[in-house]
Amino acid sequence: MKAPVLIFSLALLSPVLAESANDCLGNCGKERLMMPLGGEIKPGRKYARDRLVDIRHLALEVTPDFKARSLTGKVTIFFTPIAAELSTLSLDSVDLSIDEVTAAGAKVADRQVTEDQLLVHFAQPVPAGQEVSVTVSYHAQPENGLHFRTTEMGYPAGDDQVWSQGEAENHRFWFPCYDYPNERFSSEVTCRVPAGMEVISNGSLVAKTPEAGGLVSWHWLQKQPHVNYLIALGAGYFSKLESKVGDLPISLFVPPSEKDQAAPAFRDTQAIMTFFQKEIGVPFPWDKYDQVYCHDFLAGGMENTSCSFMAGSMLFPAEVGKLDTVHPLDAHEMAHQWFGDLLTCRDWAHLWLNEGFASYYTLLYEEEKNGRDGFLAALHSSADQVIRSNDRRPIVWRDYGEPMQQFDSRAYPKGAWVLHMLRSQLGKSLYQKAIRLYIERHRNGIVTTDDLQEIMEEVSGRSFDQFFDQWVHHGGVPELKAEYSWDAGLKQARVLIKQTQKTDADVLLFKLPVPVRFVVPGEGGPTVHDFNVTVSIAEEAFQFSLPAQPEMVRLDPELTVLAKWDFNPPQEMLKRQLKSDFESRWKALESFADKKDEASVKLLLEIATTDAHHAIRVEAVEALAKAGTPSARAALISLLGQEDERVRLAAVRGVAALYHPEALAALTGMLEKEKNPIIVSRIVSSFAAWPQQDAMAFLNRGSYHEMIASSAVSALRGQNRRDAVPALLTWLGGPGRALPQREFGQALDSLAFLSRDAAESGVQPFLTNLLTDNREVVRSAAARALGQLRDPRSLAALRNVSAVRNDPAAAAAGEAIGKIEAAMSAPVQTQEAWKKVQDLTQKTEELEKKLEKLENRGKAETEIKK
């Protein structure tokens, strides 16, 4: 699954997604698209569940009611007890109304419905090995697992759809099942929908049959076994594109309102599948491959067997140019068809075997598509995510409270890096051989980390005990401080390497193979001298005999080790690196990132305008933004006209961070000719720091998914424009309804913030009414906004929401109640004092801004005089 903790792989390529992904790493687990927790937080270590029965097959029949957002269903589960006779079959089931339970091969004596299970008691124990089937008829109005998106809910007319999201353990909310990943079985899904709708599910379409009442029955069969959370149902109105890779059919489905965005989302799919089949060495394992884009999907994407479901918010219009792409999402979910679907982690502690593999093969496709330099840029971004997370927990970790807590940087980019280090140590050919054997041996099975280690050792003859112990079963990353010196008398280079990370029971001293490269000048031109050293203790010095003093020293020159480096070779060496290969240029640029002198600013500007790769140009722009000097400001402003929109956006971000009249003038002047809506949005959001800028003017400027208007709302909040509340109310009740759920929720929060002292503004009843919205994310956002508003009139409605079991908005409502009650219980004097403090703080902030403007104006006049 593509976690908006994490939209990890997307963040590698798209500057826009990179920005949101960085925010997400600090603030959300997998959202961007916030993936909700699926169940109760439970203390203690977690282990795989017991399998008392072997499930052979599951047959599911459902009829969704789009108006009522409910369904009637019947599920039949075929199984045999494994080792002992079975008196009671336990199925996961939450908030399902059970109508009837029958069995074949056994007699049902009774059934019992608990808070989270359906218990089927047999009249006589079923002997081990005896084949039995249990059929459960039920009906439900699910709040989780199965999600409706209809016109009545505010979605575009003609876009009605319903889709499932099973990972981690959410199918129990819409059909009784064994909802854990250590059991595999074949499945079939039959769904009855109104004529004209499509139904997409796993495997092959067996039949499509007209039925009474204007319904059509779609019958899908998944012959190969897979785990429960990969069962999929998507139904509704779609616009469809079709193609083939060899004889394998591939399709893409988007809501009809998004049909213009379909082709860009489909343009890499053939190439990705062709590359993966070659790279992995195993043909695509399923009958077909569909991609289904869903309105307000809960994650970036979900790798259901043979049919990935994707977030509709990942689609993009052509006018954004190179600022957006979905090919990493496409690659990530397709890689899962091998890693996660054909082979599935035994329990959630080993999730990285799903997500780490999908993330790494996304990076490998990046190399196929954009060359070695593109691969290295993506690897650097991935490493940066791991390092910034500062996570000391191991990848294989059993102390999570709920499975979704595992979907973080350990499973995604760090898992990818573990595989990259294995590939770097074994070499491409041997690594590929190991992966083929890993798949062949465990095909259609469940796996643990030990299974992967066993294969790596079998193929290579090497012990990987310490490797997996330090990288997978312990946490952290090595922090390496290196120093270089030259002994002219001995003609030896000396490199001192220290491991500076805090070591304890959680994070060890690492044993690392570190390649070292020297470039030595000579009469026939420079020569490269490569060495390999092993770092294994806290501090170690290495000597290298060379024919002459090197002109460049490179540690890990091919980026094969995940580490946080602190290495600053002499300035002249760094300047030579800037004219060398991509990796040398990247590392040299990092050394210049914190420099503010005029020579460094001039050098960074040169790199930003002339380097061959856009990623390095962007890095140079970001380094200029950190400098903050007048010359750096002038350099950034000059970059606003860059043709490459990726560099131009980086320059906009840098200029927007400068509180200076010249910066504002440059950005407002740019608005007159800028056509890219993402860049326009970023400029508008920067107006938050400039109260005199009329952000209201952009509230009704139409754009794809109202992205420009959403930035205007953010700017109005930053400006503390309380006079904008009436206009915001009108807009949110009209065009603003077209915002994706997350952005709509952010706009509600801004509305509450701006109206916090205006009791009769109409905001409280507007937000209270949204507590009954049909969209769960909107209900949660409305509850949080009411908590910020702190109006006691909201308490009754919030208490009603907080009492609804399994409603994702219940927790938000409970938090809001706490905030309102805390504000009510404060003494009157305290409340009045707090209001005075708020007013004084606001006046102080306004005064500081005025003073800063005067200072900047004075500096500008001084510079002009000079």
Side-chain angles (χ1 to χ4, degrees):
M1 179 163 53
K2 189 61 154 161
V5 187
L6 294 160
I7 307 186
F8 284 118
S9 57
L10 280 170
L12 307 178
L13 277 258
S14 165
V16 177
L17 289 169
E19 187 173 48
S20 64
N22 290 345
D23 293 341
C24 214
L25 283 170
N27 303 311
C28 45
K30 207 179 175 182
E31 193 53 290
R32 58 259 128 193
L33 307 157
M34 181 64 178
M35 194 68 191
L37 295 179
E40 179 185 354
I41 302 294
K42 298 179 180 179
R45 293 172 66 79
K46 311 298 185 302
Y47 299 95
R49 284 167 58 168
D50 291 335
R51 290 175 58 246
L52 302 180
V53 301
D54 179 18
I55 298 177
R56 305 295 182 84
H57 184 73
L58 182 148
L60 177 63
E61 298 180 37
V62 294
T63 304
D65 184 330
F66 286 82
K67 295 289 185 184
R69 295 182 297 282
S70 63
L71 79 154
T72 57
K74 181 172 72 173
V75 62
T76 301
I77 298 174
F78 300 80
F79 67 92
T80 59
I82 294 176
E85 62 181 21
L86 184 76
S87 298
T88 300
L89 175 67
S90 301
L91 297 176
D92 298 303
S93 173
V94 180
D95 289 344
L96 304 180
S97 298
I98 307 301
D99 299 318
E100 184 181 23
V101 179
T102 60
K107 183 179 179 181
V108 175
D110 191 14
R111 68 173 189 258
Q112 180 184 357
V113 177
T114 71
E115 186 176 3
D116 55 7
Q117 284 192 321
L118 168 62
L119 305 176
V120 180
H121 303 294
F122 298 109
Q124 298 294 330
V126 180
Q130 179 172 315
E131 294 187 3
V132 177
S133 67
V134 167
T135 299
V136 182
S137 299
Y138 65 97
H139 62 278
Q141 191 159 17
E143 293 287 350
N144 206 341
L146 190 72
H147 303 267
F148 288 88
R149 302 290 186 252
T150 67
T151 303
E152 292 79 8
M153 298 172 70
Y155 293 92
D159 277 9
D160 287 8
Q161 56 182 223
V162 62
W163 43 262
S164 62
Q165 170 52 40
E167 195 176 32
E169 301 169 6
N170 291 333
H171 279 337
R172 64 187 69 190
F173 292 93
W174 68 285
F175 66 91
C177 54
Y178 177 83
D179 208 4
Y180 199 79
N182 66 342
E183 174 69 292
R184 298 179 72 93
F185 45 84
S186 57
S187 66
E188 59 188 299
V189 174
T190 301
C191 181
R192 298 172 184 85
V193 295
M197 284 189 172
E198 295 258 3
V199 174
I200 304 99
S201 189
N202 316 102
S204 300
L205 182 62
V206 176
K208 180 181 173 184
T209 309
E211 295 192 0
L215 299 180
V216 176
S217 172
W218 297 64
H219 181 192
W220 288 87
L221 175 62
Q222 171 62 39
K223 295 179 182 178
Q224 295 185 62
H226 60 164
V227 302
N228 193 73
Y229 74 78
L230 294 172
I231 292 174
L233 172 63
Y237 299 109
F238 294 98
S239 179
K240 181 180 181 182
L241 297 180
E242 297 178 275
S243 187
K244 284 189 174 183
V245 176
D247 294 327
L248 184 82
I250 59 174
S251 302
L252 179 136
F253 300 80
V254 300
S257 64
E258 297 282 0
K259 63 182 184 301
D260 292 340
Q261 283 65 248
F266 201 41
R267 62 189 173 202
D268 280 271
T269 305
Q270 285 180 307
I272 293 169
M273 184 173 289
T274 300
F275 169 71
F276 280 168
Q277 291 185 120
K278 178 182 176 182
E279 171 65 32
I280 297 170
V282 176
F284 186 80
W286 312 109
D287 297 329
K288 49 84 177 165
Y289 186 60
D290 295 332
Q291 298 174 84
V292 184
Y293 279 84
C294 307
H295 277 308
D296 283 325
F297 196 62
L298 300 181
M302 178 62 216
E303 66 276 9
N304 309 304
T305 310
S306 81
C307 55
S308 292
F309 290 0
M310 317 290 214
S313 59
M314 294 300 196
L315 297 168
F316 58 92
E319 58 262 29
V320 305
K322 297 175 182 177
L323 289 184
D324 215 341
T325 177
V326 295
H327 79 260
L329 174 64
D330 192 344
H332 184 99
E333 303 309 335
M334 193 187 296
H336 269 311
Q337 299 299 313
W338 287 268
F339 308 108
D341 293 7
L342 190 60
L343 285 70
T344 308
C345 63
R346 181 172 182 260
D347 61 72
W348 302 116
H350 297 276
L351 176 68
W352 82 280
L353 296 174
N354 295 7
E355 300 300 346
F357 269 91
S359 298
Y360 187 51
Y361 280 79
T362 298
L363 297 179
L364 292 179
Y365 178 69
E366 188 60 32
E367 184 172 26
E368 172 74 8
K369 180 179 174 68
N370 289 318
R372 178 69 178 175
D373 292 353
F375 175 61
L376 291 172
L379 268 177
H380 272 293
S381 295
S382 189
D384 187 52
Q385 291 170 5
V386 178
I387 292 167
R388 280 189 295 103
S389 73
N390 197 31
D391 198 329
R392 295 172 56 83
R393 296 170 300 168
I395 290 177
V396 175
W397 185 59
R398 297 193 177 278
D399 290 306
Y400 60 88
E402 200 275 341
M404 289 309 301
Q405 293 177 343
Q406 290 288 81
F407 290 77
D408 59 22
S409 62
R410 295 168 301 127
Y412 288 79
K414 190 174 183 182
W417 257 96
V418 168
L419 295 172
H420 179 62
M421 289 186 288
L422 285 169
R423 194 172 189 253
S424 298
Q425 291 188 28
L426 294 177
K428 178 180 177 180
S429 178
L430 196 57
Y431 170 85
Q432 289 176 325
K433 179 181 178 180
I435 295 304
R436 284 195 298 272
L437 181 58
Y438 173 63
I439 293 175
E440 289 164 3
R441 183 167 297 174
H442 300 288
R443 186 185 185 102
N444 292 320
I446 56 175
V447 288
T448 67
T449 301
D450 287 346
D451 295 320
L452 178 64
Q453 180 180 341
E454 178 183 290
I455 294 294
M456 293 295 170
E457 294 182 339
E458 178 180 331
V459 168
S460 67
R462 296 172 52 181
S463 168
F464 280 97
D465 278 349
Q466 187 168 1
F467 178 92
F468 279 88
D469 186 39
Q470 66 189 15
W471 286 112
V472 179
H473 300 295
H474 284 82
V477 298
E479 298 178 19
L480 305 178
K481 180 175 177 59
E483 299 173 5
Y484 157 79
S485 61
W486 171 252
D487 188 322
L490 295 176
K491 285 192 173 182
Q492 281 188 343
R494 181 178 185 272
V495 176
L496 175 68
I497 300 179
K498 302 176 182 178
Q499 295 196 50
T500 61
Q501 72 273 10
K502 177 185 176 182
T503 58
D504 51 27
D506 298 321
V507 180
L508 307 176
L509 278 175
F510 285 79
K511 182 179 181 180
L512 306 166
V514 178
V516 181
R517 175 173 296 168
F518 299 95
V519 178
V520 178
E523 292 183 2
T527 56
V528 175
H529 298 257
D530 283 333
F531 301 88
N532 290 288
V533 302
T534 299
V535 175
S536 59
I537 58 178
E539 181 175 333
E540 193 165 1
F542 304 92
Q543 284 78 32
F544 308 90
S545 295
L546 298 170
Q549 184 174 355
E551 61 183 22
M552 272 200 295
V553 180
R554 296 284 293 108
L555 304 182
D556 191 23
E558 301 295 335
L559 196 57
T560 61
V561 178
L562 175 61
K564 181 179 181 180
W565 282 96
D566 179 3
F567 178 49
N568 291 293
Q571 192 86 347
E572 289 305 310
M573 285 189 176
L574 291 174
K575 290 180 179 179
R576 292 190 187 98
Q577 279 184 223
L578 289 171
K579 301 182 184 300
S580 187
D581 61 282
F582 178 92
E583 180 61 14
S584 294
R585 301 197 314 272
W586 185 286
K587 296 304 290 185
L589 185 57
E590 287 182 346
S591 296
F592 282 96
D594 296 324
K595 298 185 182 301
K596 299 182 179 182
D597 59 279
E598 293 299 312
S600 295
V601 168
K602 183 178 179 181
L603 181 61
L604 289 170
L605 178 59
E606 180 183 353
I607 296 169
T609 54
T610 63
D611 195 273
H613 200 279
H614 76 272
I616 288 183
R617 298 199 302 276
V618 168
E619 286 290 309
V621 174
E622 292 175 352
L624 283 169
K626 293 178 182 177
T629 63
S631 59
R633 181 174 66 246
L636 282 170
I637 290 173
S638 73
L639 293 169
L640 293 176
Q642 283 288 300
E643 181 178 352
D644 190 316
E645 53 265 68
R646 294 165 294 193
V647 180
R648 197 162 73 248
L649 177 61
V652 166
R653 288 176 178 160
V655 173
L658 304 173
Y659 193 78
H660 192 279
E662 291 179 6
L664 178 61
L667 292 174
T668 53
M670 189 179 178
L671 275 176
E672 297 176 3
K673 56 184 178 180
E674 182 58 59
K675 302 299 182 185
N676 193 303
I678 291 176
I679 296 178
V680 172
S681 297
R682 188 62 186 83
I683 295 173
V684 172
S685 66
S686 74
F687 291 165
W690 300 91
Q692 72 272 32
Q693 289 302 122
D694 186 15
M696 288 271 287
F698 297 91
L699 199 56
N700 292 301
R701 178 167 171 176
S703 58
Y704 182 70
H705 288 177
E706 296 290 336
M707 65 172 74
I708 294 175
S710 182
S711 292
V713 174
S714 176
L716 289 169
R717 175 176 180 150
Q719 294 174 345
N720 199 27
R721 285 282 303 274
R722 302 187 184 191
D723 62 311
V725 169
L728 274 179
L729 267 176
T730 301
W731 181 77
L732 284 168
R737 297 286 292 181
L739 284 171
Q741 286 192 53
R742 182 191 181 199
E743 286 73 18
F744 187 77
Q746 291 171 341
L748 294 181
D749 190 70
S750 295
L751 176 67
F753 174 81
L754 292 173
S755 58
R756 58 197 181 278
D757 294 326
E760 301 307 322
S761 63
V763 171
Q764 188 273 337
F766 175 78
L767 292 174
T768 302
N769 186 56
L770 288 175
L771 291 175
T772 61
D773 193 275
N774 295 317
R775 298 172 291 177
E776 57 266 31
V777 174
V778 172
R779 293 198 302 277
S780 298
R784 286 190 293 271
L786 286 168
Q788 177 160 213
L789 203 59
R790 289 174 169 75
D791 189 327
R793 294 176 298 174
S794 309
L795 282 173
L798 286 167
R799 287 186 178 118
N800 288 337
V801 174
S802 68
V804 179
R805 183 170 174 267
N806 293 320
D807 184 345
E815 292 175 6
I817 291 169
K819 290 180 179 180
I820 295 171
E821 290 179 341
M824 291 173 62
S825 63
V828 174
Q829 296 89 340
T830 303
Q831 295 180 38
E832 292 176 350
W834 175 241
K835 189 176 187 310
K836 289 179 181 179
V837 168
Q838 287 182 306
D839 292 340
L840 183 59
T841 299
Q842 181 182 340
K843 291 176 181 178
T844 302
E845 289 174 352
E846 292 173 355
L847 181 59
E848 286 176 347
K849 288 181 179 179
K850 289 179 182 178
L851 288 172
E852 189 171 356
K853 286 181 187 178
L854 289 173
E855 289 176 2
N856 289 330
R857 188 178 305 154
K859 289 179 182 178
E861 291 172 355
T862 301
E863 290 172 17
I864 292 171
K865 289 177 181 178
K866 288 181 178 179

